[in-house]
Amino acid sequence: MEPSGFLDCLADDFARLRAVAPTDLTAAVPSCPGWSVADLTRHVGEVYLHKTLAIRDGAEPEPWPPAELATEEPLALLDRAYAGLLAEFAAHDPEDAAGSWYAPGQTVGFWMRRMAQETVIHRIDAELGVGAPVAPVPDDLAVDGVDELLKVFVEYAVAQWADYFTEILAGSPGWTYTLRTDGAAWSVRTGPGVFRVTDGAADAADVTVTGPPAAMLRWVWGRELAGEPSGVTIEGPAGAVTQLRRCIVTATQ
């Protein structure tokens, strides 16, 4: 996707989040255990502010968040933070430098993509929390979101912060996975200290996960509701699926 496409999706999903959240700020968010919709709203606002400063100052602010944000009303914080983020995006080209935890993505464009993906997942959280219908996710955004999670989050995290994955992967026999959706596929190979992602389906995968783009996005991010039919089909050993899920959860904490 082009940066303009990410910004369009960001605007659409922010509008949906902003419309849904006020209907019940006290509701529990099932996909974020321990959070209310108010907590979720505050979190998104804090994320927007954090990335605004990462672009403005050229480095991600630490420590975070400032204590004074805890006293700000969640919706007011969300609105203020979103306005600041958009202003920062408007003041820069996508290729301009920005601070980022992801070494290959030290640009404003990286944060345009990341904030579009952050927002679509959290507006789904808000919808699940208040019991609203989950709005459609454009196929191109969903496919990009799966790609981002596998490569930017999990593959990069295993390479950079291997200690967090030692227990998960130490006993791995070397599983292979294929994730396949409309117009895209990824192969994943695991082993002790290894999580490798390549484009395209594996020749002979131990685990195959298939489904439409939006369903695949919700599955990899753990945004399916317990007890509801899954939008994806999974074939392969349960232990291998559990290993993949644990890697994803650890990388996205």
Side-chain angles (χ1 to χ4, degrees), residues 8-166:
D8 288 343
C9 289
L10 171 61
D12 289 344
D13 286 312
F14 175 81
R16 176 65 174 164
L17 170 63
R18 187 60 178 79
V20 167
T23 64
D24 191 352
L25 287 169
T26 65
V29 180
S31 45
C32 301
W35 277 11
S36 67
V37 174
D39 295 327
L40 174 74
T41 302
R42 182 179 301 283
H43 167 76
V44 177
E46 290 175 349
V47 168
Y48 288 166
L49 287 176
H50 187 268
K51 307 325 173 193
T52 299
L53 294 174
I55 297 169
R56 189 193 72 187
D57 299 338
E60 293 186 276
E62 293 291 346
W64 192 263
E68 60 268 21
L69 294 185
T71 63
E72 191 168 354
E73 194 275 326
L75 291 172
L77 172 62
L78 180 67
D79 290 342
R80 177 172 72 86
Y82 181 65
L85 180 68
L86 290 190
E88 205 64 36
F89 283 157
H92 292 277
D93 293 327
E95 61 270 19
D96 286 350
S100 164
W101 53 266
Y102 182 62
Q106 302 287 308
T107 67
V108 174
F110 171 82
W111 287 124
M112 291 175 175
R113 178 195 195 191
R114 178 83 284 280
M115 290 302 93
Q117 295 295 349
E118 179 88 1
T119 305
V120 69
I121 292 300
H122 285 321
R123 69 90 164 154
I124 291 173
D125 289 328
E127 291 166 330
L128 296 177
V130 304
V134 175
V137 179
D139 284 355
D140 54 354
L141 183 69
V143 168
D144 180 80
V146 176
D147 188 83
E148 185 204 38
L149 181 139
L150 292 174
K151 297 175 183 176
V152 175
F153 279 93
V154 192
E155 184 176 43
Y156 184 76
V158 173
Q160 293 297 311
W161 302 291
D163 289 352
Y164 290 98
F165 300 87
T166 299

